[in-house]
Amino acid sequence: MPLTHRVAVLGGGSFGTVIGNLVARNGHRICLWLRNPERVATINRLRENSEYLPGYQLDNRLYATTGLKQAVRDVDILFVAVPSHSFREISRAVAPLVSPHTVLVSLTKGIEPGGFRLMSEILRQEMPDNPRAVLSGPNLAGEIAAGHLTGSVVASADHSINATLHDLLHSERFLVYASQDMYGVELGGALKNVYAILAGLGAALDFGENTIGMLLTRSLAEMSRFAVQLGANPLTFLGLAGVGDLFVTCSSPLSRNYRIGYAVGKGESLKEVLAEMDQVAEGINTLELLKSEADRRGVQMPLVNGLYGILHQQRPISEMFDDMMSSEQSRDVEFVLG
């Protein structure tokens, strides 16, 4: 008989909800924690998170609560899916409530404001005794909810944690792969948000397919160049959490970051675009942090510098794209074997 886990997800947005429902459908009891009592009541009564995933039926083994202590009581696996700006606050609040044996899994693709710390690093600082993992990949929540075949990556230095999370989440429509490069997988998920904004800009300007192909591959080179400076394995970026996530996020209007770039490319100001959004677009926060860290480390990132100039220095878009492309290094492949 398969082992049944007690699981909680902190964060009732679209991705936290869909991951929680995948766990419930695999036969595990799961609690979804969120702050909004009206939405909690709707989820428990109608079996639907109508604000983020209308029409998506939730399994009866999933229940929602606003009580943090109730949500994490006796859980052995805890997913954290809150926005990066509140990730430390929630991690600190939950630290005294969980066992040191509880496995912590970050679902958040972002970087902490005020520094350059990924979510797994915040978990390590706030709950140093707990085992940790991350989940990332080309995972648009709406498509998972619609039943489209999806692949994702769980990453931990511990093989047994990867195996446990595989069994917890894997299904015929949601395929789970493993990696030991937790930092590389997490960086891929965070950095691609920046380049999705660029892709949206390119789409708004009616760039040709040749240009889009160049933009995507140079983005991948730039991401991996930076990540290696922080200790990631460049080969990680050839997988789902790297090129897979980059491609999906840079080509789909479902991506919030892509939509920001597209709207700016059509003449809206960044302030106007952000005011119209009902969910956090992590790429905006990540851009500023990434540029600052790249400058500090001396990593050449012309695409990041160009996007920063467009969004924060009011540089003309066409001029900045010319600058970005002409200042790129002449090497095609950033890392070669042998």
Side-chain angles (χ1 to χ4, degrees):
M1 183 175 179
L3 178 64
T4 300
H5 294 277
R6 288 185 56 87
V7 186
V9 176
L10 305 183
S14 55
F15 195 55
T17 300
V18 79
I19 290 297
N21 207 40
L22 289 173
V23 172
R25 286 178 174 176
N26 279 347
H28 307 276
R29 181 171 170 79
I30 182 162
C31 183
L32 182 68
W33 174 83
L34 51 156
R35 300 179 192 266
N36 188 309
E38 290 79 15
R39 202 183 318 151
V40 164
T42 299
I43 289 171
N44 290 333
R45 184 178 72 256
L46 302 180
R47 313 309 307 155
E48 178 183 321
N49 188 340
S50 54
E51 181 168 347
Y52 291 110
L53 293 170
Y56 179 52
Q57 188 68 27
L58 299 178
D59 191 277
N60 289 329
R61 282 165 289 216
L62 181 150
Y63 68 100
T65 181
T66 58
L68 191 59
K69 186 174 182 179
Q70 176 189 358
V72 303
R73 182 185 298 127
D74 299 325
V75 300
D76 56 301
I77 299 174
L78 177 64
F79 292 95
V80 188
V82 298
S84 62
H85 63 78
S86 58
F87 200 95
R88 185 177 293 278
E89 171 201 347
I90 300 303
S91 298
R92 186 168 293 171
V94 81
L97 305 177
V98 298
S99 159
H101 302 294
T102 300
V103 177
L104 311 174
V105 188
S106 171
L107 303 181
T108 301
K109 298 177 178 180
I111 298 169
E112 184 182 38
F116 202 88
R117 283 175 292 274
L118 297 174
M119 303 302 104
S120 66
E121 295 178 296
I122 296 174
L123 293 176
R124 176 178 55 80
Q125 290 175 346
E126 299 298 334
M127 291 172 273
D129 296 328
N130 289 78
R132 294 173 302 280
V134 300
L135 183 143
S136 190
N139 300 159
L140 296 172
E143 292 200 353
I144 299 172
H148 294 301
L149 185 63
T150 300
S152 194
V153 182
V154 292
S156 169
D158 189 325
H159 286 293
S160 65
I161 290 177
N162 287 342
T164 295
L165 294 174
H166 171 277
D167 294 344
L168 186 74
L169 292 164
H170 192 88
S171 68
E172 289 184 355
R173 310 304 297 173
F174 191 78
L175 311 182
V176 180
Y177 300 85
S179 171
Q180 288 190 285
D181 183 16
M182 184 166 66
Y183 206 46
V185 167
E186 196 170 14
L187 273 170
L191 300 186
K192 55 87 186 180
N193 288 323
V194 170
Y195 300 102
I197 301 173
L198 272 174
L201 278 166
L205 296 173
D206 294 322
F207 281 6
E209 298 299 328
N210 290 347
T211 307
I212 295 297
M214 179 173 66
L215 185 63
L216 285 175
T217 51
R218 297 322 303 160
S219 296
L220 186 64
E222 193 166 290
M223 288 169 59
S224 57
R225 182 191 312 144
F226 177 83
V228 166
Q229 292 292 319
L230 275 69
N233 184 337
L235 296 182
T236 297
F237 287 79
L238 297 179
L240 284 168
V243 67
D245 202 3
L246 178 70
F247 177 81
V248 165
T249 313
C250 289
S251 59
S252 174
L254 296 175
S255 162
R256 294 187 291 275
N257 296 288
Y258 179 97
R259 294 202 305 269
I260 287 175
Y262 190 87
V264 171
K266 289 298 185 182
E268 292 188 54
S269 71
L270 179 61
K271 184 177 180 180
E272 290 171 337
V273 176
L274 295 179
E276 295 167 357
M277 302 193 75
D278 61 354
Q279 295 189 57
V280 175
E282 293 283 1
I284 297 299
N285 294 330
T286 302
L287 173 62
E288 297 185 41
L289 297 169
L290 180 56
K291 184 182 186 307
S292 176
E293 188 68 10
D295 289 346
R296 187 179 75 82
R297 292 175 175 268
V299 182
Q300 185 184 29
M301 303 192 79
L303 299 179
V304 165
N305 292 336
L307 181 60
Y308 186 89
I310 292 168
L311 296 183
H312 297 292
Q313 298 171 338
Q314 289 71 55
R315 295 286 302 279
I317 295 173
S318 58
E319 175 187 330
M320 288 307 302
F321 268 105
D322 289 342
D323 289 349
M324 284 187 288
M325 294 308 178
S326 62
S327 64
E328 181 59 80
Q329 289 185 9
S330 58
R331 284 182 301 177
D332 177 26
V333 180
E334 190 72 20
F335 303 97
V336 295
L337 298 177

